[in-house]
Amino acid sequence: MTTWSIGEAAAKCGLSQHTLRWYERIGLLGAISRGGDGRRRFSDGDLEWLSLLTKLRATGMPVRDMQRYAELVRSGAGEAERLELLKRHRDEVRRALASQRECLKLLDAKIDYYASCLPGTPETNAL
């Protein structure tokens, strides 16, 4: 089985070593195996879990909700609560995306307006 050092794991998942240690300390990661030298060794499963955590965090899930989700997953139970937690978060992500779409529409309108005011701009020439 291939394993990775904390530095390699951090590089693979785009997090810092400090963040990986913190995730372990606050319970987002289960116990990470250690080599004969006492250093952390991350498995493929650990990296997959970190990928999920990274995506949840990138979508704005609060750390407290991530901790609860991790606790439920490790317990092997609580599927209904996991489902509800993920559905609630999906609703939040959808609201955030809708808000971002509105902001993008406003930016596009402003760009179109200013582009139309300037002769010879690429946006004007493309029309």
Side-chain angles (χ1 to χ4, degrees), residues 88-101:
R88 272 194 322 268
H89 185 61
R90 180 181 61 188
D91 291 343
E92 289 298 319
V93 170
R94 285 180 173 161
R95 277 191 282 281
L97 286 171
S99 176
Q100 288 292 319
R101 278 192 291 277

Side-chain angles (χ1 to χ4, degrees), residues 1-118:
M1 173 167 101
T2 303
T3 60
W4 291 272
S5 69
I6 192 167
E8 293 167 330
K12 284 183 175 293
C13 54
L15 298 170
S16 70
Q17 293 179 36
H18 174 77
T19 299
L20 294 182
R21 288 186 198 97
W22 182 63
Y23 276 10
E24 187 178 12
R25 190 169 53 252
I26 67 170
L28 286 177
L29 289 173
I32 300 298
S33 66
R34 303 231 176 202
D37 58 1
R39 294 176 185 229
R40 290 171 180 86
R41 299 302 302 173
F42 289 81
S43 69
D44 287 333
D46 295 328
L47 294 183
E48 288 172 18
W49 179 251
L50 283 165
S51 176
L52 172 64
L53 293 177
T54 301
K55 286 174 180 61
L56 292 176
R57 193 70 190 125
T59 59
M61 181 179 272
V63 171
R64 182 174 304 171
D65 288 349
M66 292 169 59
Q67 287 172 305
R68 181 62 184 150
Y69 182 75
E71 182 181 300
L72 291 167
V73 168
R74 272 195 300 280
S75 76
E79 285 89 358
E81 188 177 346
R82 284 187 245 175
L83 177 63
E84 192 55 38
L85 191 150
L86 292 173
K87 282 182 172 182
R88 272 194 322 268
H89 185 61
R90 180 181 61 188
D91 291 343
E92 289 298 319
V93 170
R94 285 180 173 161
R95 277 191 282 281
L97 286 171
S99 176
Q100 288 292 319
R101 278 192 291 277
E102 288 301 312
C103 292
L104 183 59
K105 282 169 51 177
L106 174 66
L107 286 170
D108 286 342
K110 289 293 185 184
I111 289 167
D112 290 346
Y113 170 76
Y114 289 116
S116 71
C117 293
L118 301 172

